[in-house]
């Protein structure tokens, strides 16, 4: 064993760094091992990130001025290395997947477009300023301790790390080890005997995304359709155009990673061909894999937590995971600091993290219910989705919560309106009803997530969750 820390983290993305920052601020000795180097910070574009998560993480949200967002963290132009794009998405337009019609323009989009390179840089700087160590160019290969046992008997004692250039391997011991390695969950999936925590994400949990940020030819921009919009449900995913600045636009989309899927890049290129004012040169952009699946049932074991994408803390209906990683990282830091103070980093000492994430009022129960909703509805055809939008059954009011990561069931009035509007397609209404019913059952089940680590109570909870998700698969 070369070194020993109170907490050792694998992965220096938003989840790992916010966790390290908050732990260091609480006086905990923490080190992060990051595979990449200091300069290559994730992808080079701007993402839609939940405003409430950024605010909770301590970032001052900009105010709204006549020409967009204003404030010290707002970019002045495309080349300005600042945190937020100035563009305000006032009215998010949701278009039908077959472009046959559109819902009302009243989706309340609670996100702000955030530069990911700058966000990573700021979070890493804040972590280091607080006293955390970040070691770049080091790959974490696996966990130390009793890692092959059932969940209650797992004891994680640290991690094995390889220095990228020399390929020299060494062990780092810790009271708590955290997997923040992103959707591949390099450490969590190695807990081979602990099925409630080790579930790897499969292809069905992933989406393939492509986006490109381009300049506009302003002499021709008025002739093109450049309205901010999401084409929701298209090709089992969604596509968008989103203006960052008056003369810069982001065009992108993603689809479920399943056999026979379309290449999102081809659809994005088609969208660009239809808008001649979009110039050929790409300023930023690229592609990647986005997690749209659900969490394993536990994110904690003795001496171990998972955070961010590695924990499935992603809105399954949009693939937005930065907000989840920030909130997950902050909850994990609070839990670990309390556990260290109490001198109990066993599973029962770390269990409050599970409870805060999955149980009320956590995000996890919303995300689990949305995952079920998505699973059942994602195979609807373009025509079926267009019908639901045309009839205002999938209205702005209905779509707003699910786009913002909240599961809400329609009230009686909305249910009756749905029945009246959709009377000509009873099969479709039945499917919609099954999806919301399963979502509601899963939401209620997660609201009763065990408050304390009790192996028997947890086993009972897992059995029921398994049954509910098996029904989701059979309904889909
Ligand atoms: C194309 C695309 C578009 C997206 N758009 C959005 C969006 O609009 N809004 C949004 O909220 N989210 C979006 N996401 C998802 C978002 O990027 C993730 O949800 C978020 O980055 C998760 O943060 P994280 O800290 O959990 O993991 P990551 O950001 O993936 O960070 C994990 C870190 O761990 C490191 N690592 C991995 N394995 C190891 C190892 N073995 N040893 C050491 N280090 C390791 C990686 O180098 C990386 O730095 C998008 C993703 C993609 C690919």
């Amino acid at each position: 064993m070369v070194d020993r820390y109170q907490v050792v983290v694998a992965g220096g993305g938003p989840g790992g760094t916010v966790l390290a920052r908050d732990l260091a601020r609480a006086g905990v000795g923490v080190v992060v091992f990051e595979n990449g180097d200091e300069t290559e910070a994730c992808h080079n574009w701007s993402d839609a990130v939940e405003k409430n998560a950024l605010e909770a993480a301590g970032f001052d949200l900009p105010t709204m001025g006549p020409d967009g967002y204003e404030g010290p963290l707002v970019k002045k132009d495309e080349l300005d290395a600042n945190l937020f794009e100035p563009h305000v998405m006032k009215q998010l337009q949701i278009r039908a997947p077959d472009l046959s019609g559109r819902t009302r323009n009243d989706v309340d989009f609670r996100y702000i477009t955030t530069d990911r390179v700058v966000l990573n840089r700021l979070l890493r700087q804040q972590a280091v300023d607080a006293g955390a160590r970040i070691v770049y160019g080091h790959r974490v290969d696996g966990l130390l301790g009793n890692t092959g046992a059932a969940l209650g008997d797992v004891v994680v004692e640290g991690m094995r790390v390889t220095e990228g250039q020399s390929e020299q391997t060494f062990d780092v011991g810790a009271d708590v080890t955290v997997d923040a390695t992103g959707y591949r969950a390099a450490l969590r999936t190695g807990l081979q005997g602990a099925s409630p925590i080790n579930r790897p994400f499969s292809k069905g949990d992933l989406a393939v995304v492509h986006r490109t940020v381009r300049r506009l030819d302003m002499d021709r921009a008025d002739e093109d359709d450049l309205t901010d919009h999401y084409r929701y449900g298209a090709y089992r995913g969604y596509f968008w155009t989103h203006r960052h600045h008056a003369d810069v636009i982001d065009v992108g989309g993603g689809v479920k990673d399943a056999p026979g899927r379309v290449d999102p890049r081809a659809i994005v290129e088609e969208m660009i061909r239809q808008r001649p004012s979009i110039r050929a040169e790409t300023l930023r952009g690229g592609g990647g894999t986005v997690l749209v699946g659900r969490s394993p049932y536990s994110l904690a074991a003795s001496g171990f937590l998972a955070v961010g994408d590695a924990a499935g803390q992603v809105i399954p209906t949009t693939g937005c995971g930065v907000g989840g990683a920030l909130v997950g990282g902050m909850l994990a830091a609070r839990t670990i600091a309390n556990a260290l103070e109490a001198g109990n980093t066993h599973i029962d000492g770390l269990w409050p993290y599970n409870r805060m994430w999955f149980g009320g009022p956590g995000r996890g129960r919303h995300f689990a219910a949305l995952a079920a909703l998505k699973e059942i509805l994602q195979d609807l055809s373009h025509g079926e989705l267009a019908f639901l939008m045309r009839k205002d059954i999938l209205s702005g009011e209905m779509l707003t919560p699910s786009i913002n990561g909240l599961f809400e069931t329609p009230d009686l009035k909305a249910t009756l309106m749905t029945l009246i509007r959709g009377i000509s397609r009873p099969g479709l209404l039945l499917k919609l009803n099954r999806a919301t019913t399963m979502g509601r059952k899963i939401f209620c089940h997660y609201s009763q997530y065990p408050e304390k680590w009790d192996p028997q109570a947890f086993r009972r909870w897992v059995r029921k969750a398994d049954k509910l998700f098996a029904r989701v698969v059979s309904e889909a």
Side-chain angles (χ1 to χ4, degrees):
M1 198 84 68
V2 171
D3 261 327
R4 188 167 177 88
Y5 287 83
Q6 285 179 292
V7 180
V8 60
V9 183
T17 43
V18 87
L19 167 89
R21 179 197 75 175
D22 283 12
L23 283 173
R25 284 179 182 170
V28 173
V30 52
V31 61
V32 180
F33 289 100
E34 164 56 44
N35 201 12
D37 70 31
E38 193 167 357
T39 50
E40 50 165 81
C42 69
H43 42 246
N44 73 353
W45 55 79
S46 296
D47 279 342
V49 178
E50 297 103 292
K51 290 183 197 169
N52 59 6
L54 286 159
E55 207 166 21
F59 293 99
D60 283 337
L61 291 181
T63 52
M64 230 181 281
D67 300 319
Y69 284 120
E70 291 175 350
L73 293 176
V74 179
K75 289 179 184 231
K76 306 225 172 342
D77 54 49
E78 165 65 16
L79 300 175
D80 186 4
N82 215 337
L83 188 59
F84 298 121
E85 303 294 341
H87 181 68
V88 180
M89 226 189 254
K90 287 193 196 100
Q91 299 170 308
L92 178 61
Q93 192 178 87
I94 303 286
R95 295 187 182 172
D98 63 358
L99 297 173
S100 62
R102 52 185 69 163
T103 60
R104 303 194 311 262
N105 294 338
D106 58 357
V107 167
D108 175 10
F109 195 60
R110 297 171 198 152
Y111 295 80
I112 183 163
T113 316
T114 306
D115 188 306
R116 289 295 307 278
V117 175
V118 177
L119 179 66
N120 263 28
R121 179 164 49 72
L122 291 175
L123 285 171
R124 288 172 175 183
Q125 192 57 53
Q126 289 174 1
V128 170
D129 289 348
R133 245 189 102 199
I134 304 182
V135 185
Y136 294 95
H138 283 63
R139 185 184 71 238
V140 178
D141 295 326
L143 293 169
L144 308 176
N146 182 15
T147 58
L151 183 62
D153 298 322
V154 163
V155 181
V156 175
E157 293 174 340
M159 53 174 65
R160 178 149 296 169
V161 181
T162 299
E163 203 271 327
Q165 291 208 322
S166 66
E167 282 293 314
Q168 260 188 343
T169 293
F170 56 96
D171 291 348
V172 183
D175 296 324
V176 182
T177 300
V178 180
D179 184 354
T181 58
Y183 74 91
R184 287 196 180 87
L187 303 184
R188 178 177 66 71
T189 51
L191 295 169
Q192 289 141 7
S195 58
I197 195 171
N198 69 16
R199 189 172 73 88
F201 299 117
S202 63
K203 272 206 154 203
D205 294 318
L206 304 172
V208 186
V209 174
H210 178 79
R211 77 197 305 164
T212 172
V213 179
R214 309 251 180 124
R215 266 202 209 285
L216 292 167
D217 177 347
M218 292 309 287
D219 292 336
R220 306 171 75 183
D222 282 348
E223 297 155 28
D224 280 351
D225 167 18
L226 301 173
T227 314
D228 292 333
H229 74 275
Y230 274 61
R231 187 179 163 197
Y232 214 64
Y235 306 101
R236 303 172 86 196
Y238 64 90
F239 289 80
W240 66 82
T241 64
H242 174 193
R243 208 110 158 230
H244 284 176
H245 302 262
D247 63 343
V248 176
I249 193 163
D250 172 355
V251 188
V255 297
K256 181 178 168 171
D257 192 4
R261 68 169 171 79
V262 297
D263 178 359
R265 190 182 188 135
I267 311 292
V268 167
E269 276 165 9
E270 176 61 24
M271 289 163 75
I272 289 170
R273 267 196 298 280
Q274 289 161 357
R275 295 165 175 82
S277 64
I278 300 179
R279 291 194 164 149
E281 187 202 353
T282 294
L283 301 172
R284 296 186 275 162
T289 301
V290 174
L291 181 63
V292 286
R294 66 182 167 90
S295 293
Y297 294 139
S298 173
L299 309 178
S302 288
F304 179 82
L305 292 183
V307 158
D309 275 13
Q313 293 172 325
V314 171
I315 300 175
T317 36
T318 60
C320 290
V322 176
L326 292 176
V327 171
M330 289 185 287
L331 290 179
R334 204 193 311 162
T335 307
I336 294 170
N338 289 341
L340 286 169
E341 202 177 315
N344 178 11
T345 54
H346 289 110
I347 188 166
D348 54 337
L350 295 174
W351 196 258
Y353 176 56
N354 272 339
R355 173 68 192 170
M356 282 191 283
W357 179 261
F358 290 120
R363 290 179 164 224
R365 59 189 184 150
H366 288 277
F367 291 7
L370 288 175
L373 200 70
K374 190 202 72 174
E375 188 71 31
I376 297 175
L377 296 181
Q378 70 189 352
D379 286 333
L380 292 185
S381 67
H382 281 191
E384 287 172 321
L385 282 164
F387 171 83
L388 294 173
M389 290 185 185
R390 234 181 1 258
K391 292 284 180 183
D392 226 7
I393 295 169
L394 280 185
S395 62
E397 205 180 324
M398 285 274 285
L399 285 164
T400 291
S402 64
I403 286 177
N404 290 298
L406 296 171
F407 175 78
E408 282 177 14
T409 42
D411 58 19
L412 187 64
K413 185 172 152 240
T415 307
L416 284 174
M417 290 308 284
T418 299
L419 283 174
I420 293 163
R421 288 169 178 158
I423 194 91
S424 62
R425 304 287 288 272
L428 192 52
L429 287 193
L430 217 58
K431 190 154 191 162
L432 203 59
N433 181 46
R434 280 200 298 265
T436 39
T437 304
M438 287 315 299
R440 193 172 52 240
K441 286 187 175 176
I442 285 169
F443 184 81
C444 291
H445 185 56
Y446 274 76
S447 302
Q448 288 152 21
Y449 193 89
E451 237 164 86
K452 294 191 164 53
W453 165 244
D454 170 345
Q456 282 189 356
F458 185 57
R459 247 195 311 276
R460 278 197 300 277
W461 186 90
V462 166
R463 262 201 302 275
K464 183 158 179 205
D466 271 343
K467 273 191 194 153
L468 288 170
F469 282 112
R471 276 182 64 190
V472 166
V473 173
S474 68
E475 303 277 5

